[in-house]
Amino acid sequence: MRIPFSASSFRFLRSRAGLSVGLSALAALVPVFFAAGWLMNQWFSASAAFEQGEPRLARLLGLRGAAQQVREAREAAGGALLSAAYSSELPADRIGTDLQQRLRTAADGTGVAISGSQVVEGKMEDGFERVVVAMSFEASHEQLQQFLHMLTQQTPTVYVDSLTLAAGRRNANGHLAVQARFCVLRQAP
């Protein structure tokens, strides 16, 4: 038996086959489009991250190129710091004793007569501990000037915290009674 095909039924089968092929192709292309969209999104995100990181990378490469200069500057700063302050490794009482000895040596060299000295409690300030020695002595104007000048040449630097001058008991020889507080800096531990 023969099945008669009419032109309309052939078009219907043809359109149904085309629809089936089209839907199959679309079903196969949807994951491809999804993957392409995801890859584009990743590419845009990576580009944005790279643009944000590019200045940082340039700075890091610049620092890497300047590493030797940075090292030399750090060593120079460390040397300058050691000429201005004691290391944190030394105990404060030992530094106070050293300061007393340095002050006595400078006083002996200039003829200043020390009547007393003692280490007093200092305070922490800006990352440094101040080690303070209170001292009383008698000196002429010239001796006091020489004594203070000798202190400016010492390292670590000796600072004058306070200086009080009064006419001494021996007014005839022009000596001054001096009450002074000297300090040195110690790096904070």
Side-chain angles (χ1 to χ4, degrees):
M1 171 163 170
R2 215 166 162 224
I3 301 177
F5 282 105
S6 67
S8 65
S9 66
F10 186 67
R11 278 189 224 142
F12 175 72
L13 287 177
R14 198 174 172 163
S15 67
R16 195 170 165 189
L19 181 64
S20 178
V21 167
L23 287 176
S24 296
L26 184 62
L29 289 177
V30 164
V32 171
F33 287 136
F34 179 75
W38 183 79
L39 287 173
M40 292 276 293
N41 185 30
Q42 292 297 326
W43 185 76
F44 286 132
S45 297
S47 294
F50 181 73
E51 287 175 8
Q52 287 178 345
E54 194 172 19
R56 291 182 186 141
L57 180 62
R59 273 186 297 221
L60 287 174
L61 290 174
L63 285 175
R64 191 168 110 191
Q68 183 61 29
Q69 291 172 337
V70 170
R71 227 176 275 116
E72 290 170 2
R74 184 173 187 268
E75 289 173 7
L81 182 60
L82 285 177
S83 71
Y86 282 92
S87 169
S88 61
E89 297 170 358
L90 291 171
D93 58 344
R94 182 171 169 203
I95 293 171
T97 305
D98 179 58
L99 177 57
Q100 278 183 312
Q101 185 60 40
R102 289 169 57 194
L103 291 170
R104 289 187 184 279
T105 302
D108 289 343
T110 57
V112 171
I114 295 175
S115 55
S117 70
Q118 77 178 60
V119 178
V120 295
E121 188 173 331
K123 61 180 178 177
M124 295 295 287
E125 189 175 292
D126 295 329
F128 293 98
E129 178 182 3
R130 295 172 62 164
V131 178
V132 181
V133 170
M135 178 184 266
S136 53
F137 57 91
E138 287 190 6
S140 67
H141 288 286
E142 185 179 313
Q143 289 171 331
L144 179 60
Q145 186 178 13
Q146 289 173 356
F147 176 68
L148 293 175
H149 180 70
M150 281 186 86
L151 294 181
T152 62
Q153 298 173 2
Q154 295 192 13
T155 54
T157 306
V158 177
Y159 299 96
V160 177
D161 222 16
S162 68
L163 189 67
T164 307
L165 306 173
R169 290 175 287 225
R170 297 180 257 164
N171 287 334
N173 59 11
H175 281 157
L176 299 170
V178 180
Q179 296 290 321
R181 288 172 53 105
F182 300 100
C183 73
V184 289
L185 299 177
R186 174 181 176 248
Q187 298 173 31

